[in-house]
Amino acid sequence: MKTEKESLSHNMAIDKKAHNNEISEILVRYDAVLQQNERLEAEIEKLKNQTLQIDDSVKSSYQSSLNILKSNISTLTKETDTKSTQLETLNSILKLKQQDFENNKREIEKLNAKINQLELEITASPDSKAEKRKLKASNVSAVGVRIVSEKILETKKTKNTEQIKVCFTLGENTAIEKGAKEIFIQIINPKANIVSKNKASVEIKNKTLFYSAKTSVNYEKDDVDVCVFIEAGKQHLIKGNYNINIFSGANLIGNTNLLLL
């Protein structure tokens, strides 16, 4: 029994020591848990403070945005009112302009009617009819030429010029009778002298027309191209600008210029 008692006491001592170790371990764990809880509580408190700060910032930002929005709405409202006023003003101006346009349109119609009446009167006048019966020379051109081995060579040099070639087109005109038409060509040099090999003139309607050359054109009421080579007296050929005039009777029907160097 003594041996059993000693064995039991030994086992109890071992169990007690083991139990004490377990209690110590539990206490250590408890302390660790307490420390962890304290850290968590501190972090929770920190998060609460941050949340409060964020909430305050959000509220402040929201309020600022709201104020800006209210200000913009107020500005837009004022601008809308101003634009409405401007629109009304522009509409009023537009109505006045439209009224002016209608008035001007009626005045223009009246003026056009007067113009048409005047055109009819002019067309019916004897002078207008006579003007329509006149020949017209278009595409008038002139160039100095010389003959070399039966070839016609154009030149701008005064010393090389032997003849002056004048070309033109008698335009179509159904109001003119068909037949031969006498055309006079007048070349005036820079000193206002008539350029011609022999002086020539004609009396037309109590007026004397001095000319350089004349030609007869068979006119059939259609366009007809004409070219005339005019002998130029050397004494009349000088450097400068020449005036070339085309006459049908006493009527000047076309003209051009020629520059000789």
mmCIF file of all heavy atoms in Angstrom, residues 195-223:
data_model
loop_
_atom_site.group_PDB
_atom_site.id
_atom_site.type_symbol
_atom_site.label_atom_id
_atom_site.label_comp_id
_atom_site.label_asym_id
_atom_site.label_seq_id
_atom_site.Cartn_x
_atom_site.Cartn_y
_atom_site.Cartn_z
ATOM 1 N N VAL A 195 -0.990 104.610 -142.798
ATOM 2 C CA VAL A 195 0.018 103.738 -143.393
ATOM 3 C C VAL A 195 -0.542 103.176 -144.700
ATOM 4 O O VAL A 195 -1.527 102.437 -144.699
ATOM 5 C CB VAL A 195 0.398 102.595 -142.435
ATOM 6 C CG1 VAL A 195 1.387 101.639 -143.109
ATOM 7 C CG2 VAL A 195 0.992 103.150 -141.155
ATOM 8 N N SER A 196 0.052 103.536 -145.794
ATOM 9 C CA SER A 196 -0.379 103.002 -147.084
ATOM 10 C C SER A 196 0.704 103.282 -148.117
ATOM 11 O O SER A 196 1.494 104.213 -147.970
ATOM 12 C CB SER A 196 -1.695 103.640 -147.553
ATOM 13 O OG SER A 196 -1.507 105.015 -147.771
ATOM 14 N N LYS A 197 0.743 102.464 -149.163
ATOM 15 C CA LYS A 197 1.730 102.685 -150.225
ATOM 16 C C LYS A 197 1.324 103.886 -151.066
ATOM 17 O O LYS A 197 2.165 104.681 -151.485
ATOM 18 C CB LYS A 197 1.832 101.424 -151.089
ATOM 19 C CG LYS A 197 3.057 101.418 -151.971
ATOM 20 C CD LYS A 197 3.259 100.047 -152.580
ATOM 21 C CE LYS A 197 4.561 100.033 -153.388
ATOM 22 N NZ LYS A 197 4.818 98.707 -153.989
ATOM 23 N N ASN A 198 0.017 104.022 -151.303
ATOM 24 C CA ASN A 198 -0.527 105.164 -152.020
ATOM 25 C C ASN A 198 -1.684 105.738 -151.213
ATOM 26 O O ASN A 198 -2.525 104.985 -150.698
ATOM 27 C CB ASN A 198 -1.030 104.757 -153.414
ATOM 28 C CG ASN A 198 0.098 104.198 -154.276
ATOM 29 O OD1 ASN A 198 1.126 104.839 -154.452
ATOM 30 N ND2 ASN A 198 -0.111 103.002 -154.811
ATOM 31 N N LYS A 199 -1.725 107.060 -151.073
ATOM 32 C CA LYS A 199 -2.800 107.673 -150.316
ATOM 33 C C LYS A 199 -4.144 107.362 -150.980
ATOM 34 O O LYS A 199 -4.283 107.457 -152.198
ATOM 35 C CB LYS A 199 -2.613 109.181 -150.231
ATOM 36 C CG LYS A 199 -1.466 109.598 -149.312
ATOM 37 C CD LYS A 199 -1.406 111.110 -149.190
ATOM 38 C CE LYS A 199 -0.283 111.525 -148.247
ATOM 39 N NZ LYS A 199 -0.206 113.007 -148.099
ATOM 40 N N ALA A 200 -5.139 106.995 -150.155
ATOM 41 C CA ALA A 200 -6.465 106.679 -150.695
ATOM 42 C C ALA A 200 -7.518 107.230 -149.749
ATOM 43 O O ALA A 200 -7.333 107.254 -148.528
ATOM 44 C CB ALA A 200 -6.629 105.174 -150.845
ATOM 45 N N SER A 201 -8.625 107.697 -150.317
ATOM 46 C CA SER A 201 -9.722 108.228 -149.506
ATOM 47 C C SER A 201 -11.029 108.010 -150.248
ATOM 48 O O SER A 201 -11.048 107.755 -151.463
ATOM 49 C CB SER A 201 -9.509 109.716 -149.209
ATOM 50 O OG SER A 201 -9.530 110.470 -150.409
ATOM 51 N N VAL A 202 -12.140 108.139 -149.523
ATOM 52 C CA VAL A 202 -13.458 107.975 -150.106
ATOM 53 C C VAL A 202 -14.416 108.926 -149.399
ATOM 54 O O VAL A 202 -14.292 109.177 -148.195
ATOM 55 C CB VAL A 202 -13.939 106.502 -149.981
ATOM 56 C CG1 VAL A 202 -14.054 106.087 -148.536
ATOM 57 C CG2 VAL A 202 -15.257 106.296 -150.715
ATOM 58 N N GLU A 203 -15.357 109.480 -150.163
ATOM 59 C CA GLU A 203 -16.360 110.378 -149.601
ATOM 60 C C GLU A 203 -17.604 109.560 -149.247
ATOM 61 O O GLU A 203 -18.190 108.897 -150.104
ATOM 62 C CB GLU A 203 -16.730 111.470 -150.619
ATOM 63 C CG GLU A 203 -15.620 112.453 -150.937
ATOM 64 C CD GLU A 203 -15.309 113.357 -149.762
ATOM 65 O OE1 GLU A 203 -16.226 113.637 -148.960
ATOM 66 O OE2 GLU A 203 -14.133 113.780 -149.648
ATOM 67 N N ILE A 204 -17.968 109.584 -147.956
ATOM 68 C CA ILE A 204 -19.142 108.848 -147.493
ATOM 69 C C ILE A 204 -19.960 109.772 -146.596
ATOM 70 O O ILE A 204 -19.459 110.265 -145.568
ATOM 71 C CB ILE A 204 -18.748 107.586 -146.691
ATOM 72 C CG1 ILE A 204 -17.856 106.672 -147.538
ATOM 73 C CG2 ILE A 204 -19.982 106.835 -146.219
ATOM 74 C CD1 ILE A 204 -17.309 105.491 -146.770
ATOM 75 N N LYS A 205 -21.195 110.060 -147.025
ATOM 76 C CA LYS A 205 -22.105 110.906 -146.253
ATOM 77 C C LYS A 205 -21.452 112.238 -145.894
ATOM 78 O O LYS A 205 -21.407 112.649 -144.728
ATOM 79 C CB LYS A 205 -22.574 110.182 -144.985
ATOM 80 C CG LYS A 205 -23.416 108.950 -145.260
ATOM 81 C CD LYS A 205 -23.872 108.300 -143.960
ATOM 82 C CE LYS A 205 -24.713 107.068 -144.243
ATOM 83 N NZ LYS A 205 -25.166 106.403 -142.989
ATOM 84 N N ASN A 206 -20.900 112.881 -146.900
ATOM 85 C CA ASN A 206 -20.268 114.193 -146.745
ATOM 86 C C ASN A 206 -19.058 114.165 -145.817
ATOM 87 O O ASN A 206 -18.666 115.197 -145.269
ATOM 88 C CB ASN A 206 -21.271 115.234 -146.243
ATOM 89 C CG ASN A 206 -22.420 115.440 -147.215
ATOM 90 O OD1 ASN A 206 -22.215 115.412 -148.451
ATOM 91 N ND2 ASN A 206 -23.614 115.644 -146.699
ATOM 92 N N LYS A 207 -18.461 112.985 -145.641
ATOM 93 C CA LYS A 207 -17.255 112.853 -144.827
ATOM 94 C C LYS A 207 -16.195 112.136 -145.644
ATOM 95 O O LYS A 207 -16.502 111.270 -146.470
ATOM 96 C CB LYS A 207 -17.534 112.079 -143.542
ATOM 97 C CG LYS A 207 -18.439 112.822 -142.566
ATOM 98 C CD LYS A 207 -18.623 112.016 -141.290
ATOM 99 C CE LYS A 207 -19.525 112.754 -140.316
ATOM 100 N NZ LYS A 207 -19.717 111.970 -139.057
ATOM 101 N N THR A 208 -14.955 112.503 -145.398
ATOM 102 C CA THR A 208 -13.843 111.877 -146.106
ATOM 103 C C THR A 208 -13.197 110.833 -145.205
ATOM 104 O O THR A 208 -12.794 111.137 -144.075
ATOM 105 C CB THR A 208 -12.794 112.918 -146.506
ATOM 106 O OG1 THR A 208 -13.415 113.916 -147.338
ATOM 107 C CG2 THR A 208 -11.645 112.273 -147.263
ATOM 108 N N LEU A 209 -13.113 109.600 -145.707
ATOM 109 C CA LEU A 209 -12.476 108.519 -144.961
ATOM 110 C C LEU A 209 -11.164 108.159 -145.642
ATOM 111 O O LEU A 209 -11.138 107.733 -146.797
ATOM 112 C CB LEU A 209 -13.391 107.289 -144.911
ATOM 113 C CG LEU A 209 -12.778 106.028 -144.287
ATOM 114 C CD1 LEU A 209 -12.469 106.242 -142.807
ATOM 115 C CD2 LEU A 209 -13.708 104.819 -144.476
ATOM 116 N N PHE A 210 -10.051 108.362 -144.933
ATOM 117 C CA PHE A 210 -8.741 107.955 -145.448
ATOM 118 C C PHE A 210 -8.484 106.518 -144.998
ATOM 119 O O PHE A 210 -8.684 106.179 -143.823
ATOM 120 C CB PHE A 210 -7.658 108.882 -144.910
ATOM 121 C CG PHE A 210 -7.768 110.289 -145.431
ATOM 122 C CD1 PHE A 210 -8.469 111.259 -144.724
ATOM 123 C CD2 PHE A 210 -7.178 110.626 -146.640
ATOM 124 C CE1 PHE A 210 -8.570 112.553 -145.201
ATOM 125 C CE2 PHE A 210 -7.279 111.935 -147.130
ATOM 126 C CZ PHE A 210 -7.989 112.895 -146.410
ATOM 127 N N TYR A 211 -8.027 105.703 -145.924
ATOM 128 C CA TYR A 211 -7.856 104.290 -145.591
ATOM 129 C C TYR A 211 -6.564 103.759 -146.188
ATOM 130 O O TYR A 211 -5.969 104.338 -147.088
ATOM 131 C CB TYR A 211 -9.054 103.465 -146.066
ATOM 132 C CG TYR A 211 -9.299 103.505 -147.548
ATOM 133 C CD1 TYR A 211 -8.685 102.592 -148.414
ATOM 134 C CD2 TYR A 211 -10.160 104.456 -148.099
ATOM 135 C CE1 TYR A 211 -8.907 102.636 -149.778
ATOM 136 C CE2 TYR A 211 -10.384 104.509 -149.463
ATOM 137 C CZ TYR A 211 -9.762 103.592 -150.297
ATOM 138 O OH TYR A 211 -9.981 103.638 -151.652
ATOM 139 N N SER A 212 -6.144 102.613 -145.648
ATOM 140 C CA SER A 212 -4.908 101.975 -146.119
ATOM 141 C C SER A 212 -5.185 100.964 -147.209
ATOM 142 O O SER A 212 -4.359 100.744 -148.102
ATOM 143 C CB SER A 212 -4.196 101.284 -144.946
ATOM 144 O OG SER A 212 -3.929 102.202 -143.910
ATOM 145 N N ALA A 213 -6.349 100.292 -147.119
ATOM 146 C CA ALA A 213 -6.720 99.299 -148.135
ATOM 147 C C ALA A 213 -8.213 99.052 -148.035
ATOM 148 O O ALA A 213 -8.855 99.369 -147.029
ATOM 149 C CB ALA A 213 -5.944 97.998 -147.909
ATOM 150 N N LYS A 214 -8.764 98.505 -149.109
ATOM 151 C CA LYS A 214 -10.175 98.127 -149.094
ATOM 152 C C LYS A 214 -10.325 96.763 -149.741
ATOM 153 O O LYS A 214 -9.474 96.329 -150.528
ATOM 154 C CB LYS A 214 -11.045 99.160 -149.790
ATOM 155 C CG LYS A 214 -10.839 99.243 -151.300
ATOM 156 C CD LYS A 214 -11.807 100.235 -151.914
ATOM 157 C CE LYS A 214 -11.607 100.327 -153.432
ATOM 158 N NZ LYS A 214 -12.568 101.277 -154.050
ATOM 159 N N THR A 215 -11.416 96.084 -149.384
ATOM 160 C CA THR A 215 -11.678 94.770 -149.951
ATOM 161 C C THR A 215 -13.183 94.579 -150.066
ATOM 162 O O THR A 215 -13.963 95.231 -149.348
ATOM 163 C CB THR A 215 -11.065 93.662 -149.072
ATOM 164 O OG1 THR A 215 -11.246 92.401 -149.726
ATOM 165 C CG2 THR A 215 -11.728 93.597 -147.704
ATOM 166 N N SER A 216 -13.583 93.715 -150.957
ATOM 167 C CA SER A 216 -15.000 93.396 -151.139
ATOM 168 C C SER A 216 -15.247 91.983 -150.625
ATOM 169 O O SER A 216 -14.528 91.043 -150.993
ATOM 170 C CB SER A 216 -15.391 93.497 -152.616
ATOM 171 O OG SER A 216 -16.766 93.211 -152.776
ATOM 172 N N VAL A 217 -16.258 91.842 -149.762
ATOM 173 C CA VAL A 217 -16.556 90.554 -149.132
ATOM 174 C C VAL A 217 -17.945 90.109 -149.557
ATOM 175 O O VAL A 217 -18.913 90.883 -149.467
ATOM 176 C CB VAL A 217 -16.485 90.663 -147.595
ATOM 177 C CG1 VAL A 217 -16.812 89.317 -146.955
ATOM 178 C CG2 VAL A 217 -15.111 91.164 -147.148
ATOM 179 N N ASN A 218 -18.042 88.870 -150.013
ATOM 180 C CA ASN A 218 -19.340 88.300 -150.378
ATOM 181 C C ASN A 218 -20.018 87.813 -149.089
ATOM 182 O O ASN A 218 -19.650 86.793 -148.509
ATOM 183 C CB ASN A 218 -19.162 87.141 -151.365
ATOM 184 C CG ASN A 218 -20.495 86.609 -151.854
ATOM 185 O OD1 ASN A 218 -21.498 87.333 -151.847
ATOM 186 N ND2 ASN A 218 -20.527 85.357 -152.270
ATOM 187 N N TYR A 219 -21.021 88.560 -148.650
ATOM 188 C CA TYR A 219 -21.665 88.304 -147.355
ATOM 189 C C TYR A 219 -22.945 87.506 -147.560
ATOM 190 O O TYR A 219 -23.817 87.897 -148.335
ATOM 191 C CB TYR A 219 -21.955 89.633 -146.659
ATOM 192 C CG TYR A 219 -22.434 89.480 -145.234
ATOM 193 C CD1 TYR A 219 -21.566 89.057 -144.231
ATOM 194 C CD2 TYR A 219 -23.756 89.756 -144.892
ATOM 195 C CE1 TYR A 219 -22.004 88.914 -142.926
ATOM 196 C CE2 TYR A 219 -24.194 89.618 -143.595
ATOM 197 C CZ TYR A 219 -23.314 89.193 -142.610
ATOM 198 O OH TYR A 219 -23.756 89.052 -141.324
ATOM 199 N N GLU A 220 -23.063 86.363 -146.835
ATOM 200 C CA GLU A 220 -24.226 85.488 -146.980
ATOM 201 C C GLU A 220 -25.017 85.377 -145.675
ATOM 202 O O GLU A 220 -25.670 84.371 -145.406
ATOM 203 C CB GLU A 220 -23.772 84.084 -147.406
ATOM 204 C CG GLU A 220 -23.092 84.017 -148.764
ATOM 205 C CD GLU A 220 -24.066 84.300 -149.886
ATOM 206 O OE1 GLU A 220 -25.273 84.028 -149.718
ATOM 207 O OE2 GLU A 220 -23.623 84.795 -150.945
ATOM 208 N N LYS A 221 -24.941 86.401 -144.827
ATOM 209 C CA LYS A 221 -25.643 86.457 -143.538
ATOM 210 C C LYS A 221 -25.066 85.500 -142.488
ATOM 211 O O LYS A 221 -25.611 85.363 -141.408
ATOM 212 C CB LYS A 221 -27.148 86.190 -143.693
ATOM 213 C CG LYS A 221 -27.883 87.222 -144.511
ATOM 214 C CD LYS A 221 -29.399 87.012 -144.428
ATOM 215 C CE LYS A 221 -30.130 88.111 -145.188
ATOM 216 N NZ LYS A 221 -31.600 88.009 -145.047
ATOM 217 N N ASP A 222 -23.960 84.814 -142.817
ATOM 218 C CA ASP A 222 -23.278 83.942 -141.879
ATOM 219 C C ASP A 222 -21.909 84.520 -141.553
ATOM 220 O O ASP A 222 -21.435 85.438 -142.214
ATOM 221 C CB ASP A 222 -23.101 82.528 -142.471
ATOM 222 C CG ASP A 222 -24.434 81.821 -142.631
ATOM 223 O OD1 ASP A 222 -25.302 81.996 -141.759
ATOM 224 O OD2 ASP A 222 -24.602 81.105 -143.638
ATOM 225 N N ASP A 223 -21.271 83.966 -140.516
ATOM 226 C CA ASP A 223 -19.902 84.381 -140.189
ATOM 227 C C ASP A 223 -18.987 84.144 -141.388
ATOM 228 O O ASP A 223 -19.048 83.083 -142.028
ATOM 229 C CB ASP A 223 -19.366 83.581 -138.993
ATOM 230 C CG ASP A 223 -20.020 83.989 -137.685
ATOM 231 O OD1 ASP A 223 -20.724 85.018 -137.674
ATOM 232 O OD2 ASP A 223 -19.829 83.277 -136.679
#
